Amino acid sequence: EALAGQRVVAVSAGGHSLALTADGAAWSWGGGSLLPKKIEALTGRDIVAVSAGDTFSLAVSADGTVWSSGRGVEGQLGPGDGQRQ
């Protein structure tokens, strides 16, 4: 229902699920959340790709910026600090 009326152009699943809609919005669900929620932190970023890991998410914007969030204890988020972000 949350994605009703949206054209989904890509999905990814790991420990949770991500969807990318035609308008460049990223959506997430799973890991305790049953319904898709728009990832507000990425609003207006023109996301072109998403990837879901076990405990982290990655998104790429049209300008090539990589966005990461989640649990980074094994360095998968990129900053190298092993922190949740």
Side-chain angles (χ1 to χ4, degrees), residues 3-85:
L3 286 169
Q6 298 288 328
R7 186 167 70 90
V8 176
V9 295
V11 295
S12 181
H16 61 294
S17 299
L18 298 173
L20 176 63
T21 53
D23 62 357
W27 298 72
S28 177
W29 68 99
S33 175
L34 298 177
L35 295 175
K37 287 187 164 188
K38 192 176 200 178
I39 303 173
E40 296 298 334
L42 297 176
T43 298
R45 305 277 187 199
D46 195 16
I47 302 302
V48 297
V50 293
S51 183
D54 187 33
T55 59
F56 65 99
S57 300
L58 301 171
V60 180
S61 59
D63 68 2
T65 302
V66 176
W67 301 89
S68 62
S69 68
R71 190 169 169 214
V73 296
E74 295 176 10
Q76 61 270 55
L77 299 182
D81 59 9
Q83 299 297 311
R84 178 174 289 209
Q85 300 179 27

